[in-house]
């Protein structure tokens, strides 16, 4: 979800890294969805992680690691990359 409604196109994935399921979560049978709110800079990298919602710390860490390895096409405003 992109907060700034003034952009012509929000950021989108160029390469999406799939999180590795943490062994400790697998041993305990923990499953769930992790939601991350992040700022994508003009170069398409994660600049800042604002919020992480999820069932367990190891799942959150795995999702964050995957997000940081992923690359994005930055948001565009009048065809100019913006944060």
């Amino acid at each position: 979800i992109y907060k700034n409604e003034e952009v012509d196109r929000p950021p989108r994935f160029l390469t999406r890294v799939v999180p590795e399921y943490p062994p400790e979560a697998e041993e305990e049978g923990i499953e769930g969805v992790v939601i991350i709110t992040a700022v994508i800079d003009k170069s398409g990298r994660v600049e800042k992680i604002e919020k992480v919602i999820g069932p367990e710390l190891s799942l959150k860490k795995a999702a964050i690691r995957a997000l940081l390895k992923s690359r994005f096409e930055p948001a565009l405003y009048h065809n100019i990359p913006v944060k």
Side-chain angles (χ1 to χ4, degrees):
I1 301 170
Y2 193 72
K3 291 181 185 178
N4 188 345
E5 295 176 8
E6 295 179 16
V7 296
D8 300 325
R9 195 203 70 222
R12 52 186 174 188
F13 280 99
L14 285 175
T15 59
R16 183 180 296 200
V17 176
V18 177
E20 292 183 28
Y21 194 70
E24 57 271 18
E26 188 173 4
E27 288 171 8
E28 296 176 24
I30 298 170
E31 297 179 356
V33 175
V34 176
I35 299 170
I36 301 174
T37 304
V39 175
I40 307 302
D41 68 14
K42 294 177 186 181
S43 68
R45 297 182 186 267
V46 176
E47 180 178 289
K48 176 182 169 187
I49 294 178
E50 294 185 332
K51 190 175 186 181
V52 182
I53 300 170
E56 204 260 340
L57 185 59
S58 66
L59 292 179
K60 291 178 189 176
K61 286 181 178 181
I64 290 169
R65 279 192 300 272
L67 184 68
L68 292 172
K69 292 177 185 176
S70 298
R71 293 296 164 250
F72 299 84
E73 225 178 300
L76 293 179
Y77 180 71
H78 295 280
N79 289 326
I80 299 170
V82 293
K83 179 167 43 167

